[in-house]
Every structure is written in C-alpha cells, then in structure tokens.
Amino acid sequence: MLRNLSSNPKRIFLIDGIGAFITSFFLFFVLRNYNTYFGLPKTTLSYLSIIAILFSIYSISCFYLLNKKWQFFLKAISIANILYCSLTGYLIIYYCKQITVLGLSYFILEISIILILAIVEILVLLQNKK
C-alpha cells in the first residue's frame, strides 16, 4: 500500500479528503444531534466539524489541483491532522466528567485512524525524498 501511494502520492490527498468529509458528517449530523449519548456540547462538535470540512476541502483541492511540488502541501495536512488529534485529545480531557463511554470510544477511534493516516502521509513524504 505504501509503495502504491508513494508512486501516486496525490491519492493520499483523496483519501485524506474523503476521511475528513466523513468525520465532518459524523460530527455535525450524528454526534451533534445525539450529543447526550456522546457527552460533548453541540458547539464543540460544530467547531470540530468545521475544522474537518476545511481539511476535506483542502485535501480534495490538492488532489485535483496539484501536479508538482505536492510535498509541502502533504506535509501541511499531516501536521494539521496531528494538531487536530491533539485538539481532540485535549477536548477529551477537558470534558472528561461529561463524556460518555460511547463518546470516548468514538474519539479514540477517530484519533487512531487520523494518526495512522498522518504516519502514512509522513512515510510517503520520506519515500519521495529519495
């Protein structure tokens, strides 16, 4: 898989963009509407969904618009993904008294998937430096 993405690195932008869109959808339409089951305020979930949709727009735009010099843009989204995970981790700690087991499970899964994606993005960058 890594070899495949390294040979066509623009694909990782598409994967990132679709994943961010799915995250935004779940945060805004599912978690926000059923926030009592997850334990985070609607406003917080709305802000997270806005961040995710911005990441989605960025990554999808990179997929369609970039031909060369994609490394800088991939580095930027990988750092942004790591910062998003850090923010989400902070929010888990900040709302620890009200977050539910379901909410904690969702956010740990989300952080895990995004961190794996960020690691793959960094590995693609490293492979293409050679």
Side-chain angles (χ1 to χ4, degrees):
M1 180 179 99
L2 187 59
R3 196 174 297 139
N4 188 6
L5 288 172
S6 291
S7 66
N8 189 356
K10 283 180 57 172
R11 270 192 221 156
I12 200 152
F13 287 112
L14 183 61
I15 293 166
D16 193 291
I18 292 169
F21 180 81
I22 291 168
T23 295
S24 180
F25 177 84
F26 273 99
L27 288 168
F28 194 80
F29 293 107
V30 179
L31 275 71
R32 202 171 135 270
N33 289 321
Y34 300 99
N35 70 318
T36 55
Y37 296 106
F38 294 94
L40 265 67
K42 286 184 177 186
T43 307
T44 301
L45 295 169
S46 294
Y47 287 136
L48 286 174
S49 70
I50 290 168
I51 293 168
I53 201 69
L54 291 174
F55 285 9
S56 178
I57 292 167
Y58 173 88
S59 292
I60 297 291
S61 297
C62 287
F63 174 74
Y64 283 110
L65 300 176
L66 294 179
N67 286 321
K68 296 184 180 192
K69 301 192 182 203
W70 52 267
Q71 289 91 345
F72 171 80
F73 297 94
L74 187 58
K75 187 177 189 179
I77 197 63
S78 66
I79 292 168
N81 282 334
I82 292 167
L83 291 174
Y84 178 85
C85 290
S86 300
L87 172 63
T88 304
Y90 168 78
L91 291 172
I92 290 170
I93 294 166
Y94 185 81
Y95 291 109
C96 69
K97 293 186 180 184
Q98 64 189 75
I99 195 166
T100 65
V101 173
L102 184 60
L104 184 61
S105 301
Y106 172 84
F107 285 110
I108 288 174
L109 179 64
E110 179 183 84
I111 289 170
S112 300
I113 291 169
I114 295 171
L115 282 178
I116 289 169
L117 178 63
I119 290 167
V120 169
E121 290 167 345
I122 291 165
L123 290 173
V124 167
L125 282 166
L126 292 173
Q127 286 235 319
N128 280 283
K129 260 190 172 177
K130 297 176 183 177

